[in-house]
Amino acid sequence: MEVTLTDQVKLALTAGALGVALSFLWDATRIIRRVARCGKAATVTADVLFFCACAVIDFVFILGWSDGRVRMFILLSQMFGFTLYQLTLGPPLFRLTEGIIRVILNI
């Protein structure tokens, strides 16, 4: 089966969107850890669970979208989406969300 350039571009953009979604999930994990003031053991456990969830999500994504063929551009697109979110939208949304949660908890 031949894979067209259009299919590869769609796959790269979808993988980038998945990277943004995983980055958002990472921020949610960080906010929960920070607001709950977890210790080191809970932080390590949360990180391990996050990375296991990412591995499963990536496995299902690659299996479904590229017939199980791991291609470097898929992984690079995910990393690009993750990094782009962390460098642009991540910090202000993280501070805003954390502040809102702290205000709600202090009421």
Side-chain angles (χ1 to χ4, degrees):
M1 179 171 124
E2 184 176 325
V3 180
T4 65
L5 181 61
T6 305
D7 291 338
Q8 290 180 6
V9 170
K10 287 179 189 176
L11 183 56
L13 291 174
T14 306
L18 178 61
V20 170
L22 292 176
S23 186
F24 185 77
L25 182 62
W26 173 247
D27 274 352
T29 305
R30 287 176 46 209
I31 289 169
I32 291 169
R33 282 190 337 224
R34 190 172 288 187
V35 169
R37 294 190 176 117
C38 298
K40 289 183 181 181
T43 299
V44 169
T45 303
D47 288 350
V48 168
L49 289 174
F50 170 78
F51 288 114
C52 288
C54 285
V56 170
I57 291 168
D58 276 347
F59 174 75
V60 170
F61 176 78
I62 290 171
L63 193 63
W65 279 79
S66 69
D67 300 324
R69 290 176 284 189
V70 179
R71 296 175 179 224
M72 186 58 75
F73 77 90
I74 296 172
L75 301 176
L76 291 174
S77 296
Q78 283 183 0
M79 288 176 22
F80 179 74
F82 189 96
T83 304
L84 185 67
Y85 176 85
Q86 286 298 319
L87 294 176
T88 56
L89 296 175
L93 284 177
F94 181 80
R95 286 190 301 273
L96 177 69
T97 307
E98 183 185 25
I100 290 170
I101 291 173
R102 286 194 188 278
V103 166
I104 290 171
L105 292 176
N106 288 333
I107 290 179

